[in-house]
C-alpha cells in the first residue's frame, strides 16, 4: 500500500517488467544476473564474460556494459522502493578512492546493522561536501536519525550540527564520536580495495579447470560434486571476491555452502591445482619483462616481483619482504627454474635487478641480455 504522493509518482515512473526487457536477445534472468553481479562484486565486464561462458552463454563484454547502462536506473527505482528502511543509528565516515584515474572522497553512512543508508562521491573533504552528503542522506531516508556516530574530523561534526539546526526535530538527534562504534563502517571500506592477486594472469586456458586437470586429484569423501568445488576454487583465485560473496553466488545457483567450507576447499585444492596448471602451462616467449611493485597482503606491505613475456603471458611472481639483489635473485631462480632461461630481460632502472641478473649470469655461466627500455616495460608495469 502506498502512503505518500511521492511513492505513487515513483511507482508510476517504473516500466513494467515486460516493457523493460522487450526486444532483448537474452532471457531476463541473464540480464538481471549480469547487472547484479557487476554492481555487487568487484568484477569487470570481461570477468563476467568468462563466468557466463562457463554456464554455456556466449556474450561480448560490450553487451554486458550496455545492459548495465540500460537497466541500472530502473533497477535502482525498484530497489529503493522495496528496500528495508535503515535504522535510526547511523555510522558516518569518508575514505579516499580512485575512480577512473582520479582520487576522490567517498562519504558513506550505514546503520548499526551494517545496512547502507546512502553514499556520495565528492572532489573535496570539507564542510560543504559533508553538508551535501547529509542533505542527500536525510532526504533519501525520509526522517532524521536518532544518533549519528562520526570520527574525529570536525568538518563532518560542524556540517551535521548546522543542518540539524535548520530542520524540525533536529535537536533530538544526538551527534557523537566513538572510535569502536565506527569500526563497522571503517572496516567495510576495505572491501573497495581489490585483491592484487586477481590481476595476476597465469596464461592457462579456462578449460584447465575441467576434468582433464582434476583427474589426478582425489575428491573422495567430499559432500559436494567435483564441478561445484572446482567452480568455487576457481572463482576465488581468478576474481577479487571474498568467501562470503562466493557463498552468495553459490546460493543463487542453488548450492548451499558455507564460507568456511569454501575456505577449506581453497586451502586444500589450490596447491594441488597449481601443480596441474604448471605442468600444462603454455610455453612462454624468450623475451621477458621484469618489474616489482608494493602491495598490501593481510595488513602487511610486501614487494611483488612479476615477469611477463612480450605477449603479456605471466612467467612467474614472488612476494618478498625486501626489495634488493637477494630478493630479485631468488625470483630469477624460481622463474628460470620453472620455465627455462630467457634470451633477454627488460627491466627498469633498478640497480638491484641489474645486479641480480649479472649474478645469475656469473653463477650459471649464462648470457642473458639486460635491456632498459621504458616503453617495452609498460606491459608489466600496467
Amino acid at each position: 500500500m502506498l502512503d505518500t504522493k511521492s511513492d505513487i509518482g515513483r511507482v508510476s515512473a517504473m516500466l513494467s517488467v515486460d516493457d523493460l526487457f522487450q526486444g532483448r536477445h537474452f532471457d531476463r534472468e541473464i540480464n538481471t544476473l549480469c547487472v547484479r553481479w557487476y554492481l555487487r562484486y568487484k568484477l569487470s565486464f570481461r570477468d563476467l564474460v568468462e563466468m557466463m561462458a562457463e554456464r554455456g552463454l556466449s556474450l561480448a563484454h560490450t553487451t554486458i556494459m550496455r545492459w548495465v547502462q540500460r537497466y541500472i536506473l530502473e533497477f535502482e527505482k525498484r530497489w529503493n522502493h522495496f528496500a528495508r528502511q535503515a535504522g535510526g543509528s547511523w555510522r558516518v565516515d569518508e575514505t579516499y578512492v580512485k575512480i577512473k584515474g582520479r582520487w576522490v572522497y567517498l562519504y558513506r553512512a550505514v546503520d548499526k546493522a551494517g545496512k547502507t543508508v546512502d553514499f556520495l562521491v565528492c572532489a573535496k573533504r570539507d564542510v560543504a561536501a559533508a553538508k551535501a552528503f547529509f542533505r542527500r542522506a536525510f532526504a533519501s531516508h525520509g526522517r532524521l536519525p536518532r544518533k549519528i556516530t562520526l570520527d574525529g574530523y570536525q568538518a563532518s561534526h560542524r556540517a551535521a550540527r548546522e543542518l540539524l539546526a535548520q530542520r524540525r526535530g533536529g535537536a533530538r538527534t544526538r551527534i557523537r564520536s566513538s572510535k569502536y562504534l565506527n569500526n563497522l563502517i571503517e572496516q567495510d571500506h576495505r572491501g573497495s580495495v581489490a585483491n592484487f592477486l586477481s590481476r595476476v594472469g597465469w596464461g592457462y586456458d579456462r578449460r584447465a579447470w575441467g576434468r582433464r586437470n582434476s583427474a589426478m586429484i582425489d575428491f573422495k569423501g567430499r559432500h559436494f560434486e567435483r564441478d561445484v568445488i572446482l567452480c568455487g576454487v576457481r572463482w576465488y583465485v581468478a576474481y577479487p571476491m571474498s568467501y562470503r560473496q562466493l557463498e552468495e553466488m553459490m546460493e543463487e545457483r542453488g548450492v548451499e555452502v558455507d564460507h568456511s567450507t569454501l575456505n577449506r576447499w581453497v586451502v586444500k585444492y589450490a596447491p594441488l591445482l597449481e601443480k596441474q596448471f604448471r605442468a600444462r602451462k603454455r610455453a612462454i616467449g624468450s623475451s621477458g619483462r621484469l618489474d616489482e611493485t608494493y602491495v598490501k597482503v593481510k595488513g602487511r606491505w610486501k614487494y611483488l616481483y612479476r615477469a611477463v613475456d612480450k605477449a603479456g603471458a605471466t612467467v612467474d611472481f614472488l612476494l618478498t619482504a625486501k626489495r634488493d639483489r637477494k630478493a630479485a635473485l631468488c625470483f630469477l631462480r624460481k622463474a628460470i627454474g620453472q620455465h627455462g632461461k630467457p634470451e633477454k630481460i627488460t627491466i627498469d632502472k633498478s640497480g638491484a635487478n641489474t645486479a641480480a641478473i649479472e649474478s645469475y649470469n656469473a653463477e650459471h655461466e649464462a648470457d642473458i641480455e639486460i635491456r632498459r627500455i621504458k616503453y617495452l616495460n609498460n606491459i608489466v608495469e600496467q
Side-chain angles (χ1 to χ4, degrees):
M1 183 174 179
L2 303 175
D3 297 325
T4 65
K5 292 181 180 179
S6 61
D7 287 332
I8 297 171
R10 190 160 56 242
V11 174
S12 63
M14 292 183 191
L15 294 173
S16 68
V17 175
D18 291 335
D19 291 338
L20 189 61
F21 294 99
Q22 187 176 9
R24 294 292 166 180
H25 178 70
F26 290 92
D27 190 85
R28 71 179 65 167
E29 303 265 343
I30 299 168
N31 297 81
T32 306
L33 184 67
C34 287
V35 174
R36 196 188 94 76
W37 281 7
Y38 178 77
L39 298 175
R40 176 68 179 88
Y41 310 115
K42 294 173 287 188
L43 298 170
S44 68
F45 294 125
R46 294 185 186 274
D47 290 340
L48 286 168
V49 168
E50 285 188 11
M51 298 172 86
M52 291 299 112
E54 291 173 359
R55 308 181 83 175
L57 298 169
S58 179
L59 289 171
H61 66 279
T62 51
T63 301
I64 299 176
M65 180 188 71
R66 288 194 294 271
W67 290 349
V68 171
Q69 293 173 342
R70 170 69 179 84
Y71 295 119
I72 186 170
L73 295 177
E74 289 294 330
F75 288 176
E76 186 180 12
K77 291 176 186 177
R78 288 162 169 79
W79 293 331
N80 289 340
H81 181 67
F82 295 106
R84 176 180 62 84
Q85 194 170 28
S89 180
W90 294 2
R91 276 74 163 154
V92 181
D93 195 30
E94 67 284 331
T95 189
Y96 210 32
V97 296
K98 200 171 188 178
I99 300 177
K100 294 185 177 179
R102 295 180 60 187
W103 287 99
V104 292
Y105 287 98
L106 171 66
Y107 282 81
R108 187 161 171 258
V110 302
D111 65 10
K112 64 181 181 181
K115 176 179 170 56
T116 297
V117 176
D118 215 324
F119 65 91
L120 182 67
V121 173
C122 300
K124 296 182 179 180
R125 181 189 182 216
D126 53 17
V127 175
K131 281 187 174 181
F133 168 70
F134 281 118
R135 284 194 197 98
R136 177 186 172 94
F138 293 159
S140 65
H141 191 58
R143 56 189 174 88
L144 296 178
R146 291 179 290 102
K147 302 172 187 174
I148 299 178
T149 305
L150 303 167
D151 56 14
Y153 187 54
Q154 290 305 307
S156 299
H157 284 260
R158 177 183 165 187
R161 283 196 305 269
E162 291 181 0
L163 280 179
L164 288 171
Q166 299 169 6
R167 290 178 172 264
R168 185 179 178 181
R172 291 195 293 269
T173 299
R174 178 186 168 197
I175 300 174
R176 59 183 179 177
S177 182
S178 177
K179 189 174 181 180
Y180 80 93
L181 286 176
N182 238 28
N183 284 345
L184 178 68
I185 187 168
E186 288 180 355
Q187 290 176 347
D188 198 45
H189 288 325
R190 298 175 187 174
S192 64
V193 181
N195 187 338
F196 77 94
L197 289 174
S198 67
R199 304 305 171 200
V200 178
W202 279 85
Y204 50 77
D205 193 283
R206 188 171 60 246
R207 291 171 295 179
W209 292 83
R211 299 178 181 276
R212 183 179 51 162
N213 278 353
S214 60
M216 299 175 63
I217 299 175
D218 185 17
F219 292 90
K220 187 177 180 180
R222 293 292 167 181
H223 177 69
F224 292 89
E225 291 289 330
R226 175 176 57 185
D227 289 343
V228 174
I229 297 173
L230 290 175
C231 181
V233 175
R234 189 187 108 76
W235 283 4
Y236 180 79
V237 174
Y239 309 118
M241 293 190 296
S242 68
Y243 293 118
R244 291 188 184 275
Q245 289 172 342
L246 282 173
E247 182 181 341
E248 285 183 20
M249 297 175 78
M250 288 290 187
E251 187 176 0
E252 290 179 0
R253 306 183 79 177
V255 179
E256 293 187 11
V257 56
D258 190 70
H259 63 277
S260 58
T261 302
L262 289 163
N263 169 258
R264 289 194 293 272
W265 291 350
V266 171
V267 171
K268 178 175 176 59
Y269 293 112
L272 300 176
L273 289 166
E274 183 187 3
K275 293 179 182 177
Q276 299 288 323
F277 299 147
R278 287 192 179 276
R280 293 169 172 80
K281 187 177 176 183
R282 294 196 302 265
I284 52 101
S286 60
S287 177
R289 276 76 164 146
L290 169 63
D291 195 33
E292 70 285 332
T293 188
Y294 210 32
V295 295
K296 201 169 189 179
V297 181
K298 293 184 178 179
R300 298 178 62 186
W301 287 99
K302 301 265 188 183
Y303 286 99
L304 171 66
Y305 280 83
R306 184 165 173 252
V308 303
D309 64 11
K310 63 182 180 181
T314 297
V315 177
D316 219 320
F317 66 93
L318 180 69
L319 287 169
T320 62
K322 296 182 179 180
R323 179 192 180 209
D324 52 19
R325 186 192 68 85
K326 185 178 179 181
L329 186 58
C330 180
F331 171 67
L332 279 175
R333 287 175 181 151
K334 179 175 185 281
I336 295 174
Q338 290 283 348
H339 306 285
K341 183 183 69 174
E343 296 176 2
K344 307 169 187 175
I345 296 181
T346 304
I347 59 173
D348 54 15
K349 296 180 180 179
S350 170
N353 291 344
T354 303
I357 298 171
E358 290 174 349
S359 297
Y360 186 89
N361 282 340
E363 187 179 301
H364 297 85
E365 297 182 356
D367 55 351
I368 300 173
E369 180 186 344
I370 303 174
R371 298 190 300 179
R372 297 180 186 85
I373 305 175
K374 189 174 181 180
Y375 78 91
L376 286 178
N377 232 32
N378 284 346
I379 192 170
V380 65
E381 289 178 353
Q382 291 173 350

